[in-house]
Amino acid sequence: MLEIEKNAGFISVRGCDVSLVHTFECGQCFRFNADENGVYKGIAFGRGISMWLDDGLCIGCDEKDFELLWRSFLDIDRDYGAITAALPKDDFTRAAMKHGYGLRILRQEPWEALCSFIISQCNNIPRIKGIIERLCRMFGQPVEYSGDTVYTFPDAQTLAALSAEDLAPIRAGYRAQYIISAARDVNDGRLDFLELDKLETADARRAVTRVNGVGNKVADCFLLFGMGRLDAFPVDTWMKKASGFYPGGFSAEVFGKYAGIAQQYIFYYSRANNVNSG
DNA sequence: TGCCAGGCCGAAA
DNA sequence: TTTCGGCATGGC
């Protein structure tokens, strides 16, 4: 049962299964970092935000912004506890959940998610974060937050006006041209997130993979983390890999850590067992 | 120093 | 339809 309470300067949520470490360090988002006290600070929706754990999940915002932005962003109303409880009790699943408990699928802004996962291809998380940080500093808007200047994620219109050469300082390599062409597709209306939202997931995947530099993998990450499509990944394929069907399949640790895979597993079983998954 | 990273594209087979 | 080389960069 969720208990949501207004406090001076923050909202607290009790009864919500969440691990901030697993949620923000799993590779589903790239603009949140913990400070020395374990407070996660990040930028989304054009503003800074802080989140921490203390008798529940605490979010440094007012009630209006909680309802408007962060409730959906954190997938607050999905009962992950009930879903997790319905998972099979085999050793592999237990080991996977040990590494992924409390991980929530974030509902990020579509353009930021698409652009971020274009950058993620054939890349590692520290470097992805570095490229995105440089992109935001160069082309995002400065915003004052908690005594610092932070930078918003640049919108598609801004990037559409640039060339791949203009992006050279962010050192994205061959991905620069993909960023520009995706920005232009969005800015010119060839890729419309509102229209995409009306499509079945398979059709949405076909539509987004028409963008140069977006294949099935990037498309699925975008649909899962930017469009709230929990059915985006080809579940059966991941399941077979994860369960050791293929030699050299994922270890339980890797399986549990990676957001897309772990949550698909949860979703798969929640659906199979008819458990409320939101 | 060398391997590899949440891939994708385009040509060749 | 599948396979494979090339692509930029840097973390480890």
Side-chain angles (χ1 to χ4, degrees):
Chain A
M1 190 68 178
L2 283 179
E3 290 179 40
I4 297 168
E5 190 176 306
K6 285 183 286 184
N7 303 277
F10 67 97
I11 297 287
S12 62
V13 183
R14 285 187 290 274
C16 171
D17 294 271
V18 58
S19 160
L20 294 179
V21 174
H22 291 168
T23 297
F24 289 119
E25 308 280 359
C26 68
Q28 65 171 320
C29 67
F30 305 100
R31 302 211 70 201
F32 279 79
N33 294 294
D35 69 11
E36 62 277 10
N37 299 314
V39 176
Y40 275 85
K41 295 182 177 177
I43 307 108
F45 306 107
R47 67 195 73 188
I49 185 71
S50 297
M51 301 178 191
W52 64 96
L53 295 179
D54 177 22
D55 188 25
L57 170 63
C58 301
I59 306 159
C61 66
D62 59 24
E63 189 179 19
K64 181 183 166 196
D65 278 357
F66 174 75
E67 295 297 339
L68 195 65
L69 304 172
W70 309 113
R71 188 167 191 148
S72 163
F73 182 74
L74 288 158
D75 203 13
I76 292 290
D77 293 290
R78 194 186 307 277
D79 190 349
Y80 285 67
I83 294 168
T84 306
L87 291 175
K89 304 294 188 282
D90 60 276
D91 290 344
F92 184 92
T93 303
R94 275 204 296 268
M97 292 314 300
K98 180 182 168 189
H99 294 283
Y101 70 88
L103 192 163
R104 306 187 75 83
I105 292 290
L106 300 175
R107 179 68 184 266
Q108 302 176 56
E109 293 170 277
W111 166 242
E112 178 173 341
L114 178 63
C115 194
S116 295
F117 283 98
I118 286 173
I119 291 169
S120 82
Q121 65 183 262
C122 200
N123 216 334
N124 57 61
I125 290 174
R127 184 163 174 251
I128 296 165
K129 284 184 161 183
I131 292 170
I132 291 174
E133 182 60 26
R134 290 188 288 276
L135 178 72
C136 295
R137 280 181 177 271
M138 282 195 72
F139 303 108
Q141 296 296 316
V143 175
E144 296 306 313
Y145 178 68
S146 192
D148 293 320
T149 301
V150 298
Y151 294 85
T152 64
F153 198 93
D155 58 32
Q157 185 180 11
T158 301
L159 298 183
L162 303 175
S163 67
E165 289 71 31
D166 293 326
L167 291 185
I170 73 170
R171 303 197 297 279
Y174 61 84
R175 306 164 192 85
Q177 57 186 313
Y178 297 155
I179 295 170
I180 299 298
S181 71
R184 290 176 181 169
D185 281 353
V186 171
N187 189 50
D188 296 344
R190 285 187 294 275
L191 184 68
D192 185 324
F193 298 130
L194 293 177
E195 290 301 314
L196 217 55
D197 209 28
K198 299 174 184 170
L199 301 178
E200 295 292 324
T201 297
D203 294 330
R205 181 185 295 110
R206 270 190 286 277
V208 74
T209 51
R210 292 195 195 104
V211 177
N212 188 33
V214 178
N216 284 328
K217 182 68 177 303
V218 170
D220 282 340
C221 287
F222 157 70
L223 288 169
L224 178 59
F225 303 125
M227 299 291 290
R229 297 297 182 93
L230 268 69
D231 58 338
F233 276 81
V235 175
D236 294 339
T237 302
W238 290 114
M239 285 294 295
K240 285 175 184 172
K241 284 188 178 182
S243 63
F245 185 85
Y246 298 117
F250 298 119
S251 68
E253 181 177 1
V254 170
F255 181 75
K257 273 171 117 172
Y258 281 110
I261 304 166
Q263 289 310 131
Q264 286 311 297
Y265 194 44
I266 290 174
F267 182 69
Y268 179 88
Y269 274 101
S270 69
R271 193 170 50 182
N273 292 287
N274 216 10
V275 174
N276 167 34
S277 63

